[in-house]
Amino acid sequence: MVQTGSFLRRYPRRVTALVTALMLGGGGGALALASLAPEVSDLPVRQVVEPVDVSLVSAPVTATPLNLFRSEISRNSDTADTLLKRLGIDDAQAASFLRHDTLTRQLLLGRGGRQLTAEADGQQALLSLIARWSPDDSGQFKRLIIERTPHGFDSRLETAPLSASARLSSGTIRSSLYAATDDAGLPDAIANQLAEIFSTDIDFRRALRKDDRFNVVYETLEGDGEPMRTGRVLSAEFVNAGKTFQAMWYQPPGVDSQGQAFKGGYYTLDGQSKQRAFLSSPVAFSRVSSGFAMRFHPVLREWRRHLGTDFAASTGTPARTVGDGIVKFAGSQNGYGNVVFIQHRNNTETVYAHLSKIMVQRGQSVGQGQTIGLVGATGWATGPHLHFEVRVNGVQHDPMALAQKSETVPVPGAAMPQFQQLAAHVRSELHAASTLGLAGFQ
């Protein structure tokens, strides 16, 4: 009884709960078991003291030097001082070196378009400056390195290979091809290639429609992970007035019947070459100022049928032959001014007029795409442009229509299995590009 009384005095609430539960359970209800554990307030409290290593607390904290990096694009107006200021660098010694260093003066100052990466310390002193650029189509880039050394600044020039990577993009025509490619973040070089690739399918000067769309996979060429230049379009799809056109770059393996390696080019995804016997334009894609139709002649001041196409372009723009042939005439002729006539097969002749400079001679063989002169305003011209004509048996024809009707060359039969595998992959890439466009990503 002593033990029981003691338990009752120590845990009265626990005993009451137990008795209540037993009473409730006697009526057939479920038996509720109350915890008989001691209350938290009754538990003994212990204090534990852990030893502390005083040396760790008193050890000095060493600050990590903070270096700052910044990227920029060089400008034609750059001097040593303006360049460093734009890079956030305040370093008189570095400015003096840039002003006097031969490599820097020759290759950086006053030269725009270089990719710049600068490293500076926390006091805005220059540690290194690297300029990268790709001067040509050799597949390499230049790297000018300026570094602070224990003995002052030093510079050196290096050459390294470009690396290629593929990018996907998509766009929709709202007003013009260039406006659409700008909206998609594509460089003009890609817009030009798109116009060239589909030039015999789509008249980009007259036949584009609002809501036409394109998907494209293209190369970017990089140096040290920085984009240096745009490569070629690898594959593309253009939907014009509801009709879909597709193309991919492909170079067949092996050699042709003449023992020459096959040239790479663009093909439809079923294996037909996109290159035809005639190009649709004698200049790179540009605005047409006067098409093959009736017009009011600006010099003769009367309505006359315009039996050619005028391509608005600045003086000095290269004019190219649209097909292989022989130069029939190269010189000055009446209203044509400086003009070149080229004879092609099947009694076809092309005319290139108002040139500022002629770059071929009579009797010379020329190949498709070869520059034969420069755009100008000679003869009966009110401004710089290229007047272009196509004549078949002496009769003028619409150059766009002639280009569309000219023959194409298919993929060699032996290469077709490989081509079909690549074409299947291209279809997947173009679908992925279109998905990005629909999702609003570029």
Side-chain angles (χ1 to χ4, degrees):
M1 292 297 295
V2 176
Q3 292 180 349
T4 302
S6 175
F7 184 83
L8 288 173
R9 284 192 299 273
R10 292 186 61 185
Y11 307 112
R13 282 178 290 179
R14 298 292 182 267
V15 173
T16 302
L18 178 59
V19 171
T20 303
L22 291 173
M23 292 174 65
L24 292 173
L31 177 63
L33 298 180
S35 171
L36 298 180
E39 294 188 56
V40 175
S41 59
D42 296 324
L43 294 176
V45 178
R46 296 180 184 179
Q47 185 174 7
V48 179
V49 179
E50 292 285 347
V52 178
D53 188 344
V54 181
S55 63
L56 294 178
V57 177
S58 60
V61 178
T62 303
T64 303
L66 179 63
N67 292 343
L68 306 175
F69 293 83
R70 182 160 182 175
S71 296
E72 263 287 353
I73 304 293
S74 65
R75 301 175 184 174
N76 292 330
S77 59
D78 277 337
T79 65
D81 294 306
T82 59
L83 177 61
L84 291 178
K85 183 178 180 180
R86 204 164 69 252
L87 289 167
I89 294 171
D90 183 11
D91 189 331
Q93 184 182 0
S96 177
F97 178 83
L98 296 184
R99 280 193 293 268
H100 297 93
D101 179 60
T102 301
L103 284 177
T104 303
R105 287 189 289 109
Q106 290 179 348
L107 301 174
L108 179 54
L109 298 182
R111 295 183 177 272
R114 276 35 173 168
Q115 299 277 354
L116 304 177
T117 304
E119 180 184 4
D121 63 18
Q123 285 70 49
Q124 296 180 297
L126 180 66
L127 300 179
S128 69
L129 175 61
I130 302 177
R132 304 175 183 86
W133 69 97
S134 179
D136 50 42
D137 294 325
S138 65
Q140 297 181 318
F141 75 100
K142 302 292 185 181
R143 183 195 294 126
L144 174 63
I145 301 175
I146 300 167
E147 287 182 310
R148 182 186 293 272
T149 71
H151 310 290
F153 284 97
D154 188 27
S155 69
R156 66 182 184 274
L157 180 65
E158 300 175 345
T159 300
L162 290 165
S163 59
S165 62
R167 293 191 179 184
L168 286 67
S169 189
S170 177
T172 301
I173 303 297
R174 301 302 181 197
S175 58
S176 70
L177 176 62
Y178 284 107
T181 53
D182 286 345
D183 290 342
L186 290 168
D188 284 351
I190 298 302
N192 294 339
Q193 290 184 60
L194 285 173
E196 287 289 324
I197 292 168
F198 297 110
S199 62
T200 54
D201 301 313
I202 305 168
D203 186 343
F204 282 90
R205 300 174 179 88
R206 293 176 291 187
L208 280 186
R209 301 288 183 267
K210 185 179 180 181
D211 294 330
D212 284 356
R213 62 187 186 277
F214 60 84
N215 306 306
V216 60
V217 181
Y218 65 100
E219 282 182 322
T220 56
L221 302 178
E222 301 174 345
D224 297 337
E226 296 287 339
M228 294 286 104
R229 62 192 306 144
T230 302
R232 69 165 56 99
V233 168
L234 300 176
S235 60
E237 177 179 71
F238 212 108
V239 181
N240 171 236
K243 187 174 182 180
T244 301
F245 303 93
Q246 294 177 321
M248 60 179 278
W249 171 265
Y250 178 67
Q251 182 172 6
V255 296
D256 58 21
S257 58
Q258 306 299 320
Q260 301 294 321
F262 288 114
K263 294 181 180 180
Y266 290 98
Y267 292 81
T268 63
L269 270 57
D270 60 0
Q272 292 294 319
S273 174
K274 296 293 292 180
Q275 182 175 349
R276 296 178 180 266
F278 290 95
L279 300 174
S280 63
S281 171
V283 293
F285 180 61
S286 68
R287 178 177 60 87
V288 172
S289 57
S290 182
F292 190 81
M294 291 293 293
R295 67 160 184 171
F296 186 77
H297 197 284
V299 176
L300 300 179
R301 311 301 298 172
E302 63 182 17
W303 284 95
R304 305 184 74 181
R305 184 166 182 79
H306 189 231
L307 301 178
T309 302
D310 288 349
F311 294 85
S314 59
T315 298
T317 299
R320 60 188 182 180
T321 177
V322 296
D324 300 342
I326 304 293
V327 177
K328 182 179 177 181
F329 178 85
S332 182
Q333 189 178 104
N334 302 324
Y336 284 131
N338 294 330
V339 63
V340 173
F341 289 75
I342 296 179
Q343 186 67 50
H344 308 276
R345 59 196 180 101
N346 298 328
N347 295 319
T348 300
E349 181 180 63
T350 53
V351 182
Y352 311 77
H354 305 316
L355 300 171
S356 62
K357 183 179 181 179
I358 295 174
M359 301 173 66
V360 290
Q361 299 177 356
R362 182 177 180 178
Q364 179 180 339
S365 296
V366 292
Q368 186 183 74
Q370 180 178 334
T371 299
I372 58 170
L374 303 178
V375 171
T378 57
W380 294 351
T382 57
H385 69 280
L386 179 69
H387 173 80
F388 176 62
E389 294 181 22
V390 175
R391 302 174 179 177
V392 180
N393 293 320
V395 178
Q396 284 91 347
H397 287 256
D398 185 345
M400 182 70 187
L402 183 71
Q404 289 176 328
K405 293 177 181 177
S406 59
E407 66 273 15
T408 62
V409 180
V411 171
M416 186 55 75
Q418 180 197 55
F419 178 88
Q420 290 173 337
Q421 289 183 342
L422 292 174
H425 178 67
V426 164
R427 288 187 178 92
S428 298
E429 287 186 328
L430 292 176
H431 176 71
S434 67
T435 302
L436 288 176
L438 292 173
F441 299 103
Q442 302 296 345

